[in-house]
Amino acid sequence: MLRRIGTRSIASDVFNYIFINAFQVFLDVFYVFFDLRRDNPFLQVMTTLLTGDLIRAARALIGMSQVDLAKKAGITQKALGEFELGKRQITARANDKLRRFFDEQEIQFIAANVESNHLEGTGVRWKPSQPNSGIKTI
């Protein structure tokens, strides 16, 4: 016979414990199963748009003119110049083309590793063979 503690039995406490833990495991598995952002491009977090300063710095790092970069990245030189001068905000399409080109050149955009969404200490560097844990890529 089950012993009662107050108005509840030990069996109901055990059942509640097992149910809650099983539900938590189910939620964890559900989260991992459906949180496949890296495999599904529609669920990926949007990358940070490049600023004019970052584009200019990356271009300087590889020693390329605006004309050459625009041609190789597949955008117009006029648009690139306007992005760099801050006269126009970069479009998502141009951002993607520039990022793809800079990635092929082993260029990495970085920022200080802070908890907020605000980017601090942004910069450009050659991709290291072993990443630094104190710097986040943007």
Side-chain angles (χ1 to χ4, degrees):
M1 186 157 169
L2 292 174
R3 187 174 56 141
R4 288 194 172 273
I5 301 175
T7 59
R8 298 182 332 191
S9 70
I10 294 174
S12 67
D13 289 342
V14 169
F15 175 78
N16 288 339
Y17 176 80
I18 291 170
F19 177 77
I20 289 169
N21 284 320
F23 188 70
Q24 182 64 46
V25 168
F26 170 77
L27 286 178
D28 291 343
V29 169
F30 183 82
Y31 175 77
V32 169
F33 183 74
F34 287 103
D35 192 33
L36 301 174
R37 290 190 177 114
R38 60 185 139 63
D39 295 332
N40 188 341
F42 296 106
L43 297 176
Q44 286 181 348
V45 177
M46 187 171 176
T47 58
T48 304
L49 292 177
L50 296 174
T51 64
D53 293 337
L54 287 172
I55 296 169
R56 204 169 31 257
R59 187 169 57 79
L61 188 60
I62 57 177
M64 191 173 274
S65 69
Q66 274 188 358
V67 174
D68 292 337
L69 175 58
K71 193 180 295 180
K72 295 204 180 209
I75 61 175
T76 66
Q77 189 274 324
K78 181 181 180 198
L80 180 60
E82 289 176 353
F83 297 150
E84 285 188 5
L85 292 174
K87 291 182 178 179
R88 185 169 136 189
Q89 186 175 5
I90 191 167
T91 63
R93 189 175 198 173
N95 188 67
D96 186 48
K97 289 180 178 184
L98 286 169
R99 279 186 174 272
R100 225 176 295 136
F101 175 77
F102 288 135
D103 190 51
E104 290 170 2
Q105 303 301 310
E106 299 293 313
I107 299 291
Q108 188 175 54
F109 299 95
I110 59 172
N113 197 8
V114 294
E115 296 296 321
S116 69
N117 289 340
H118 176 71
L119 294 176
E120 293 184 23
T122 57
V124 179
R125 70 175 180 179
W126 295 110
K127 282 186 182 178
S129 58
Q130 295 186 357
N132 183 345
S133 62
I135 296 175
K136 66 180 172 185
T137 58
I138 58 173

